[in-house]
């Protein structure tokens, strides 16, 4: 049903945006951050956030960037029904091809950016903060799940370490931000051969467990991400009338 809804939606308006929100929130918060069961023979284990590949993290980043762009558009609050749910003159549901006569009834799109909203802290600094967390975990995913095992005997393939070092530059483009510095602190200073190497287990453990425990914690990231999405929704999307009615009846003690 959701797939069909997405296929026939116009690329703007509040319903489209709510669908995009559901999509990206599910990918980040619809899974556990870490494995619940450590049983390697458990076939019922689902993919966790810690298991996401760099490619999947990059897709999430693209969706997050797109969501911000859609929500900043002037047409973000328009009510636009999916094309296959448009009604004809007799009140019957029509297909996408049956809506040509009613196009004048569909609010025109306005892709101009709401500059006042764009400058709001949640869409500027708040967005950058969560995006830095996404980039951070995208880089770290090159070392996962080996990195999460947390045992001194754990061996991370050298090609993963090289990819990790390259990802820091690709994601942060040489920016001297906190998240990039923390990631670089996991690496030893370049030796004469210029070969990337991780620091010792005890040094990494100090960084992860003592110096920056919240930064490395995926559950903390999920919490920050969800809070930001909720604030975005409050700023952009009107509260549904049915929700208002439900809240008011509950406040009055009506079941």
């Amino acid at each position: 049903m959701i797939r069909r809804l997405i296929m026939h939606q116009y690329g703007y308006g509040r319903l489209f945006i709510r669908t995009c929100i559901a999509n990206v929130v599910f990918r980040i918060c619809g899974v556990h951050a870490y494995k619940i069961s450590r049983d390697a023979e458990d076939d019922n284990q689902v993919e966790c956030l810690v298991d996401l590949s760099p490619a999947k993290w990059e897709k999430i980043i693209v969706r997050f960037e797109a969501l911000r762009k859609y929500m900043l558009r002037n047409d973000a609050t328009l009510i636009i029904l999916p094309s296959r749910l448009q009604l004809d003159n007799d009140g019957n549901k029509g297909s996408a091809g049956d809506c040509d006569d009613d196009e004048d009834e569909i609010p025109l799109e306005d892709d101009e950016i709401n500059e006042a909203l764009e400058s709001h802290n949640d869409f500027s600094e708040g967005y950058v903060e969560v995006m830095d967390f996404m980039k951070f975990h995208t880089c770290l995913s090159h070392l996962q799940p080996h990195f999460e095992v947390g045992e001194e005997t754990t061996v991370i393939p050298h090609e993963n370490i090289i990819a990790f070092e390259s990802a820091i530059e690709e994601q942060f483009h040489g920016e001297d931000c906190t998240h990039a510095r923390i990631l670089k602190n996991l690496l030893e200073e370049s030796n004469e051969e210029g070969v990337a190497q991780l620091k010792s287990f005890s040094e990494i453990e100090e960084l992860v467990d003592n110096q920056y425990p919240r930064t490395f914690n995926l559950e903390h990231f999920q919490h920050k991400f969800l809070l930001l999405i909720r604030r975005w929704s409050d700023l952009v999307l009107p509260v549904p009338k049915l929700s208002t009615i439900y809240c008011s009846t509950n406040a009055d003690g009506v079941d």
Side-chain angles (χ1 to χ4, degrees):
M1 177 63 184
I2 292 295
R3 185 180 296 275
R4 290 172 58 193
L5 187 65
I6 294 174
M7 287 174 59
H8 301 294
Q9 282 195 87
Y10 294 91
Y12 61 102
R14 68 176 76 171
L15 181 58
F16 172 72
I17 287 176
R18 289 191 186 280
T19 305
C20 292
I21 289 175
N23 191 319
V24 71
V25 168
F26 173 77
R27 293 174 188 278
I28 293 178
C29 301
V31 295
H32 292 293
Y34 304 100
K35 287 183 174 64
I36 300 301
S37 171
R38 294 284 183 176
D39 186 355
E41 299 179 357
D42 185 359
D43 295 330
N44 296 319
Q45 290 190 88
V46 296
E47 187 177 52
C48 301
L49 208 56
V50 72
D51 294 324
L52 292 189
S53 66
K56 288 186 177 181
W57 274 105
E58 288 168 2
K59 287 181 179 179
I60 288 174
I61 286 177
V62 170
R63 288 184 170 90
F64 182 55
E65 290 174 326
L67 176 60
R68 178 179 180 271
K69 181 186 70 175
Y70 296 140
M71 296 187 79
L72 289 176
R73 288 172 52 137
N74 286 333
D75 54 20
T77 60
L78 296 179
I79 299 177
I80 314 291
L81 293 178
S83 58
R84 285 191 178 274
L85 296 183
Q86 297 291 340
L87 301 180
D88 61 23
N89 293 331
D90 297 324
N92 300 314
K93 291 181 180 178
S95 65
D98 297 330
C99 299
D100 295 340
D101 295 335
D102 297 328
E103 281 193 2
D104 58 332
E105 298 179 9
I106 300 172
L108 295 176
E109 62 179 304
D110 180 358
D111 60 2
E112 292 294 320
I113 297 298
N114 183 328
E115 295 182 358
L117 200 57
E118 184 181 31
S119 63
H120 190 283
N121 183 71
D122 287 331
F123 278 100
S124 53
E125 293 180 14
Y127 164 74
V128 171
E129 182 182 12
V130 171
M131 178 59 78
D132 280 348
F133 268 101
M134 284 189 179
K135 293 177 179 179
F136 179 89
H137 288 292
T138 298
C139 295
L140 206 59
S141 65
H142 287 280
L143 307 180
Q144 303 286 18
H146 316 279
F147 187 79
E148 198 57 42
V149 174
E151 296 178 0
E152 195 163 1
T153 56
T154 301
V155 177
I156 298 178
H158 190 250
E159 56 268 25
N160 291 46
I161 300 173
I162 295 175
F164 167 70
E165 183 181 41
S166 299
I168 298 173
E169 179 61 32
E170 291 171 5
Q171 292 296 331
F172 293 98
H173 307 290
E175 297 177 19
D176 187 30
C177 66
T178 301
H179 291 82
R181 288 197 301 271
I182 294 173
L183 290 170
K184 290 177 182 178
N185 278 342
L186 296 175
L187 294 166
E188 290 280 11
E189 293 186 9
S190 298
N191 54 29
E192 294 179 359
E193 292 78 20
V195 179
Q197 295 288 346
L198 289 176
K199 288 184 175 179
S200 67
F201 173 79
S202 59
E203 291 175 301
I204 291 177
E205 189 176 42
E206 171 65 21
L207 287 169
V208 175
D209 295 340
N210 298 325
Q211 294 189 33
Y212 308 105
R214 291 164 68 87
T215 305
F216 282 92
N217 191 287
L218 280 165
E219 291 176 343
H220 175 67
F221 161 69
Q222 287 177 315
H223 179 69
K224 288 188 73 68
F225 168 79
L226 194 57
L227 285 179
L228 181 67
I229 295 299
R230 285 172 176 168
R231 291 198 298 269
W232 281 6
S233 298
D234 290 342
L235 287 167
V236 176
L237 300 174
V239 178
K241 183 173 290 186
L242 285 177
S243 297
T244 306
I245 294 173
Y246 176 78
C247 291
S248 63
T249 53
N250 276 356
D252 294 334
V254 179
D255 295 330

